Amino acid sequence: MKKLLKNEKGAALSFVIMTLLVLFIMASIVASLAQANIKQASSQEYGLQAHYAARSGAEMAFEALWNEKSGNTLLKSLKNGSKFSEQSITFPDDAGSAKVTINYTKKDSDELIEIHSKGSYKNATRNIVLKVYFEVDSEDTNKSILKEIVW
């Protein structure tokens, strides 16, 4: 029995194989973590780009409320009962797209415009709602006075 324990031939080979096995397992774990990290970073980047596309769409719709076309603004059209159909915006340089809808409600002397924007970039989408509160001037002008903007 002592002769079997004293025979150490091949021990170095088994030590090298075990060491290589441990190193291979560690390298596999590191590669897996790196790949997961890259995937998560890409997902965050796409989500952020979709957020900015949605925000840009909402800001473009907000600007369109006062942009005059042939003496009329979108705000006046909404007040007169016109409906705003969903508009799609594609941004240049493959920067994403946005789908925008606008809802108008009036209660007594208060008006509310809700701008819903859904931004898309690659496989990510984000939604933004911009609420614009107005108060109608009680005098003869019947103008809308901006009260508050809430993102």
Side-chain angles (χ1 to χ4, degrees):
M1 182 81 137
K2 288 185 180 181
K3 286 186 177 183
L4 287 174
L5 293 176
K6 288 196 175 200
N7 188 2
E8 295 180 4
K9 291 182 181 178
L13 180 60
S14 62
F15 178 74
V16 169
I17 289 174
M18 292 299 283
T19 303
L20 288 175
L21 182 63
V22 168
L23 288 175
F24 176 74
I25 290 171
M26 290 175 61
S28 296
I29 292 171
V30 169
S32 176
L33 290 174
Q35 184 179 12
N37 193 15
I38 290 169
K39 187 175 181 180
Q40 181 183 15
S42 294
S43 178
Q44 287 177 344
E45 178 186 349
Y46 296 163
L48 191 59
Q49 188 69 25
H51 169 81
Y52 286 128
R55 175 120 184 183
S56 296
E59 288 177 358
M60 290 174 77
F62 180 76
E63 190 272 329
L65 291 174
W66 290 276
N67 190 8
E68 287 196 27
K69 288 186 179 179
S70 65
N72 196 12
T73 64
L74 178 59
L75 180 58
K76 286 180 187 175
S77 297
L78 291 169
K79 288 174 87 167
N80 291 332
S82 296
K83 296 292 180 187
F84 182 85
S85 60
E86 182 177 89
Q87 298 288 316
S88 294
I89 304 165
T90 302
F91 298 105
D93 299 328
D94 192 32
S97 64
K99 291 184 180 181
V100 180
T101 57
I102 299 175
N103 298 321
Y104 173 81
T105 55
K106 182 177 180 182
K107 184 178 179 184
D108 299 328
S109 66
D110 293 325
E111 297 174 309
L112 170 63
I113 293 179
E114 288 184 315
I115 301 171
H116 296 262
S117 181
K118 181 178 183 179
S120 300
Y121 182 75
K122 298 201 178 184
N123 60 349
T125 59
R126 296 292 185 269
N127 295 309
I128 285 186
V129 177
L130 173 61
K131 294 182 180 183
V132 185
Y133 295 92
F134 293 98
E135 183 176 358
V136 178
D137 188 9
S138 60
E139 297 184 18
D140 294 333
T141 60
N142 202 25
K143 286 188 175 183
S144 297
I145 301 169
L146 182 64
K147 282 179 29 178
E148 185 177 15
I149 299 171
V150 179
W151 286 98

